[in-house]
Every structure is written in C-alpha cells, then in structure tokens.
Amino acid sequence: MTGSLLFCMCLAYFVVAYYIYGGFLSRVFKVDPQRPVPAETNYDGVDYVPTPAIVLFGHHFASIAGPGPIVGPIMAAYFGFLPALIWILVGCVFIGAFHDFASLVMSVRNRGRSISFLMEKLMGFTGRQLFLIFCIACLILVVGIFTILIAGMFVQLPEVATASVLFILMAPVFAFCTMKLGMRLTHGSLIFVPLVFLSVYLGALFPLDMTALFGMSTEGARLFWLAVLAVYIFAASIVPVQWLLQPRDYLNSYLLYGMLALGFLSIIFYNPEIKMPAFEGWQAVTADGQMTDMIPALFIFVACGACSGFHSLVASGTTSKQIRSEKDMLKIGYGSMIMEGVLGVMALVAVMGLDPAVFKQIGTNQPMAFATAIGSFSTALGINETYARVFISLAISAFMMTSLDTATRLGRFLWQEIFLPRSLDKDGHEIEVDTSKLSAWRKQITNPYVAAIIVVGTSLLMAVTGSAGSIWPIFGASNQLMAALTLLGITIYLLAKGSRWYIAFVPMLFMMVMSVWGVIQVVGQQWGKNYILVISGMFLLVMAVLMIALGLSIMSHYFKAHRRGLNIELEV
C-alpha cells in the first residue's frame, strides 16, 4: 500500500464518520435550528456576536489546531505508524470530535457560558472552582510556552515575524471594510486572502531581523519579541472579537487550507512509498532520546488530531458566543475536529514516506520534519522544494499565534469567572449575577483589563524566568486530563438528561486512566530532579482526584434515583 492510497482511505473514513456518527450525535443532543442562540439573546458586540459559519469555522479551526496535529503524530511515529494512525482514526471520531461538539452544545444551551459554569450546574460550586483553577493553570502555561516558542521563531526566522505583523495589521482593516464600509464577505475575501499570501512573500523579502536592523543581541531580540507579543495578546484578549481575533483567524485559516491543499496534492501526485515500520514495539527511543513506553505516551503525544482538552475551552469560551444557528454546531464543533484528524493523518503519511534514518535525524523537530517531507513531495507538482518548505513553516507559525491569542482571551474569561459568586441557589435554580452589585474588590479583580494584565503578566513572568519551560513536560498529560474531566461533565450532563450517557462515559474512563497514568509517570521521572514540575504535577493530581470523587458521587446519586424510578432530570 502506498501513502496516497492510505491517505485517501482515511479521508473516506472521516467523511463517512462525519455524516453517520455526527448525525447520530445531532439526534442525541436534539439540535434545533429554531432554538435561540446566545449570540442573539446575549448580543453585546464584544464577545457575543452572530457570525457566519464560514468565518466562525475559520476562527475555531485555527484556534484549536496550532501545531498540535502535526507535532503529536510525528512524536508518536517513533513507535511505528500504525499505533498513531489507529489512535487518530478512532480517537478523533468517537472521543475528540464528540468531546468538542458536546462542549459546544452544552455551552450554547447555557447562554454561551464556559464549561466551568456547566460544571457548577452538574457538580456544584466546589466542582466549578476546582475545574476553573485547573484550567487557568493550564492556560497560563500554554500562553507562557507559546510566547517563548513564537519569540524564538521570530528571532530564528525573521520572515515569520514580518508575515505575522502584517496579519495582525490586516485584520482590523478587513473588519472595517466588511462591517463599516458594507463590503460583502466574499468580495472582502477576494481582496484580503491574496494579501495574506502576499504577506508571506513580503516576509521573505523584508525580514524583521532585530539583530541585523538594530544591532540587538539574540537574547535582546528574544526579549523584544516577548514584549511585543505581550502587548498583542493583551489587546487580543479585550478588543471586541469582530475587530481582531475573528478576522485574523478567518484570514489565517486560508493559510492552513493552503497548507492542507498543498499537502493533499503533493501526497496524491508524489504517491510516496511507505518506508516506516508499522510497529516498532511497546517501547521506543523517542524524540527526547529517552526510552519511552508506548502506553500511555501514545495517548499523551497525540492530542490535537485525536482528543485535546484545550478544545473544550475554545468551544465553550469563544465559539459558543458566536454561533449564528444551532445547525452550525455540527460543522464547526464536530467538523473542525474531523479536519484536525485529516491534518494528523497527513503529518503521519508525510513522515512515513521518509527514509527511517532521515526520520530519526530530523524527527526531533516535528514541524521541520513535516515541512521537509511535504516539500520533497511537492516537486511532483513542479513546486520548488525550498519554497514549499518555507511556506509550510510560516503557516505553522501563524497557527501558533492563533492558539496563543485565543488561549489568552480564554484565560481572561476564566480568571473573571473564578471570582464570581455562585450561579445557582440551593435548589439548583440559576441566579442572575448582577456584576454592578459585586463588592469593590470583586469588581476590581474581575475587571477585563485587570484580568488580562494578570494572565498576560503571569505568563510573561514564567516565560522570562524559564519556569514555564520547567513544567512544560507535564502539559501534555494535564491537557488530556482536562479532556477527561470535561468528558466527566458531559457524562453527567447526558445522565441528567436521561440520554445515552455511556457514549461519554467510556471515552471518559479511557482518557482518565491514560492521563492520570501519564501525570504520575512524569512526576515519577522528575522526582528529586525538577521540584517545580513535581509540585505542579501533584497539584494537578489532587485537583483531578477531588473532581473524580465528586463526579462519581453525583453519578451514583443519579443511578440510585433511576433505580427507584425517580425522575430527577436537571435543567441543563
């Protein structure tokens, strides 16, 4: 079997899965296009804005993708291509896409509130606070690490810096033309999308090399870009979504579509031979040079493309506030994750066509391995290999920026929520929180500007001091643990609705075991070596154990009530 045949078979599988299992989930959650959505009922012109499906798909897809669907599968390829491929195909359809879609539906049905609010409905105020603390810790780590990675990339590849700055400047101009000047989205896209690709070309011509232009040292240039990024993500977290975040992500998504198209056509026409072994064994020396057990590492390495907890925060944090109709939830919530699965398979097929010795040599830099493979395949299309490699590298960096600004805005939302009072009374009825009547200190700490400063400041401090890098190894397992906890909430949601709760319970149980196993493994490996990481891991485990105990107690309550024939359906 060749790489192109395998890729086409996987594409067909994803298409069938979208219509069959996606359609099944639409019926389970009773999607109703006539039901009012938060973007209309809570419209505020800042966060709650009805958005065309094509624009929102671009925002959501770009926000959840980042480099994850490329990095994860290539990291897992050290165990052979087959385990990673199976996990992507099964995990994406039945766990990850379901997880994203269900999070989006639950949020839309609850006035666009975040997944933490739903946790309060399902697991009480304590459950809400525990989940919020867990999520904020993960998001601040994401912002810190991505800021480091992007600043480093701007120093190493200054052409990426130029293109990124042009993207940012272009977004509000695009928004002004479509919203204020009355330009149609189609016409605006015909003008601005080519400008996006032109900015990539201009980046190559006029790289923002701070060391060459201003004589900065490499470290000075890195600190400069850290400061610039801090200002940008602060603005992105508070500026109305339709003026910066939404148009930038929409335009940016065309880079990803271009990368997908280039990858697809290159694989089809080059028709690479599969050179990688299907299975290397239950242990392998991975990119970090360490002998690693495939279980649970496989399910930690491959997050985006199979299942990622970060996605629930995007779905319930920004996307749910912009859904124009419930009919769009499947294509955006479920469909975006299916597209991630396609990208994950593409990354895997790309490195499967590399000589094993070459893969072992360049596989430690996953984006470069992907760009090198697709670049070599693109010669079958008559495209210069070097140009294709540079384009793919630029596209990947652009999506890191998208994940960064979205994570910052989500961090701002969650920081504000953690200091809000209870949303439910003792009988489980929702209480309308009047923010104008909050105490003086709560008003100050939940102010959007203050919240943004705290999130950005903490992340920047971690980036500058290096503490973010110290605890980064725990992120993969904590991200999957977040997915497991979200699936626990979805399980209780379906149980409370008297629906098919087991479709969430089985994935939850699997993800819970793998993620807890992964955290314990990392803590054990770093014991006595990295105290910051060990303490962080122990903290995450304690939070998870408390939530699991609380969740199991609530599930037991429902099961006992059902056995007695009592109907205690919760209004969720």
Side-chain angles (χ1 to χ4, degrees):
M1 183 185 296
T2 62
S4 60
L5 177 58
L6 178 62
F7 187 52
C8 288
M9 290 170 63
C10 293
L11 281 178
Y13 163 81
F14 281 126
V15 171
V16 172
Y18 174 82
Y19 286 103
I20 294 181
Y21 197 64
F24 165 73
L25 293 177
S26 291
R27 294 189 295 274
V28 169
F29 286 91
K30 299 178 181 177
V31 171
D32 181 6
Q34 303 304 316
R35 195 193 306 260
V37 292
E40 297 173 344
T41 58
N42 287 38
Y43 176 81
D44 63 4
V46 178
D47 298 314
Y48 292 84
V49 181
T51 306
I54 187 172
V55 177
L56 188 54
F57 184 94
H59 160 72
H60 184 79
F61 182 35
S63 297
I64 66 172
I70 293 171
V71 171
I74 296 176
M75 289 176 65
Y78 283 89
F79 299 109
F81 74 82
L82 191 58
L85 182 64
I86 293 173
W87 170 229
I88 293 171
L89 295 177
V90 176
C92 180
V93 170
F94 298 103
I95 304 180
F98 163 66
H99 162 277
D100 295 10
F101 173 68
S103 301
L104 179 58
V105 172
M106 289 164 59
S107 180
V108 168
R109 298 277 172 80
N110 284 273
R111 300 167 54 193
R113 305 287 288 273
S114 74
I115 196 72
S116 61
F117 170 77
L118 302 175
M119 287 295 185
E120 182 177 1
K121 273 194 168 185
L122 298 167
M123 303 176 67
F125 184 72
T126 301
R128 183 192 90 169
Q129 296 301 91
L130 289 173
F131 190 76
L132 277 170
I133 294 170
F134 185 94
C135 292
I136 289 172
C138 290
L139 283 172
I140 287 177
L141 177 58
V142 168
V143 174
I145 285 294
F146 270 49
T147 305
I148 292 172
L149 293 176
I150 294 171
M153 185 172 290
F154 284 1
V155 174
Q156 294 175 5
L157 297 172
E159 59 268 31
V160 175
T162 304
S164 298
V165 170
L166 290 174
F167 290 160
I168 294 169
L169 297 176
M170 202 181 301
V173 178
F174 175 70
F176 181 80
C177 291
T178 53
M179 291 193 304
K180 297 298 183 181
L181 298 184
M183 183 182 293
R184 289 189 175 186
L185 179 63
T186 304
H187 296 161
S189 299
L190 289 174
I191 295 173
F192 282 87
V193 170
L195 290 178
V196 168
F197 289 90
L198 177 62
S199 67
V200 175
Y201 176 69
L202 292 175
L205 290 181
F206 307 104
L208 285 173
D209 188 344
M210 296 296 110
T211 58
L213 294 174
F214 301 103
M216 292 184 182
S217 65
T218 300
E219 179 61 17
R222 188 183 76 88
L223 292 174
F224 169 79
W225 284 119
L226 283 175
V228 171
L229 288 168
V231 172
Y232 165 68
I233 60 178
F234 172 79
S237 69
I238 57 175
V239 170
V241 288
Q242 70 270 31
W243 282 105
L244 182 56
L245 208 65
Q246 194 182 87
R248 200 192 82 83
D249 291 352
Y250 170 70
L251 293 173
N252 215 16
S253 66
Y254 282 92
L255 273 180
L256 184 50
Y257 302 150
M259 186 178 73
L260 284 169
L262 176 63
F264 172 75
L265 293 174
S266 297
I267 290 172
I268 296 301
F269 282 90
Y270 190 86
N271 195 21
E273 175 189 352
I274 298 177
K275 300 176 181 178
M276 179 180 290
F279 183 60
E280 289 278 10
W282 296 101
Q283 287 185 322
V285 177
T286 50
D288 59 1
Q290 303 294 319
M291 182 64 72
T292 307
D293 294 328
M294 189 182 78
I295 300 176
L298 171 66
F299 309 103
I300 305 300
F301 287 169
V302 187
C304 295
C307 180
S308 171
F310 175 69
H311 296 187
S312 67
L313 300 182
V314 177
S316 66
T318 57
T319 305
S320 63
K321 297 174 177 62
Q322 301 172 63
I323 286 284
R324 189 169 59 174
S325 168
E326 281 203 358
K327 69 179 181 180
D328 295 337
M329 293 192 300
L330 184 68
K331 66 184 73 169
I332 293 170
Y334 197 84
S336 292
M337 186 59 192
I338 291 294
M339 187 70 80
E340 261 208 8
V342 171
L343 182 55
V345 171
M346 179 182 292
L348 196 58
V349 169
V351 296
M352 286 161 57
L354 294 174
D355 184 89
V358 174
F359 172 70
K360 293 288 176 65
Q361 183 180 1
I362 66 174
T364 53
N365 186 333
Q366 294 83 26
M368 183 59 67
F370 177 72
T372 299
I374 297 298
S376 64
F377 297 167
S378 67
T379 56
L381 302 173
I383 298 175
N384 179 273
E385 181 178 347
T386 301
Y387 177 78
R389 187 167 62 247
V390 170
F391 170 72
I392 291 171
S393 299
L394 289 171
I396 293 172
S397 69
F399 292 108
M400 290 174 66
M401 283 284 288
T402 302
S403 297
L404 173 64
D405 54 31
T406 300
T408 309
R409 195 176 188 93
L410 292 172
R412 191 262 289 178
F413 285 157
L414 296 184
W415 178 268
Q416 291 175 277
E417 285 188 36
I418 200 170
F419 292 101
L420 292 178
R422 297 174 184 270
S423 301
L424 305 172
D425 61 23
K426 62 181 181 180
D427 297 318
H429 299 122
E430 187 172 342
I431 303 171
E432 189 67 36
V433 178
D434 187 351
T435 55
S436 65
K437 296 181 179 179
L438 295 176
S439 61
W441 76 270
R442 284 185 191 251
K443 284 183 180 179
Q444 292 298 322
I445 204 72
T446 58
N447 179 280
Y449 294 93
V450 173
I453 288 172
I454 290 172
V455 172
V456 174
T458 305
S459 301
L460 188 63
L461 180 63
M462 294 179 68
V464 172
T465 60
S467 55
S470 298
I471 59 176
W472 179 246
I474 202 73
F475 172 73
S478 63
N479 179 57
Q480 299 305 68
L481 189 53
M482 190 191 307
L485 295 175
T486 301
L487 287 166
L488 174 61
I490 296 169
T491 301
I492 297 173
Y493 174 89
L494 292 173
L495 189 58
K497 302 295 287 185
S499 191
R500 302 172 190 263
W501 57 272
Y502 51 84
I503 63 175
F505 180 77
V506 174
M508 180 273 292
L509 194 61
F510 178 79
M511 293 303 299
M512 193 71 74
V513 171
M514 292 301 152
S515 56
V516 169
W517 188 351
V519 173
I520 292 174
Q521 191 176 73
V522 172
V523 169
Q525 291 170 350
Q526 298 298 323
W527 193 270
K529 303 175 185 176
N530 187 336
Y531 291 107
I532 295 177
L533 188 147
V534 169
I535 293 171
S536 301
M538 296 296 291
F539 168 77
L540 294 175
L541 282 174
V542 170
M543 292 292 103
V545 169
L546 290 174
M547 287 202 68
I548 292 168
L550 184 59
L552 292 177
S553 174
I554 294 170
M555 290 178 64
S556 174
H557 173 67
Y558 278 110
F559 285 130
K560 289 177 181 178
H562 288 325
R563 282 200 300 268
R564 294 172 184 168
L566 300 177
N567 181 11
I568 56 170
E569 182 175 319
L570 184 66
E571 276 299 320
V572 286

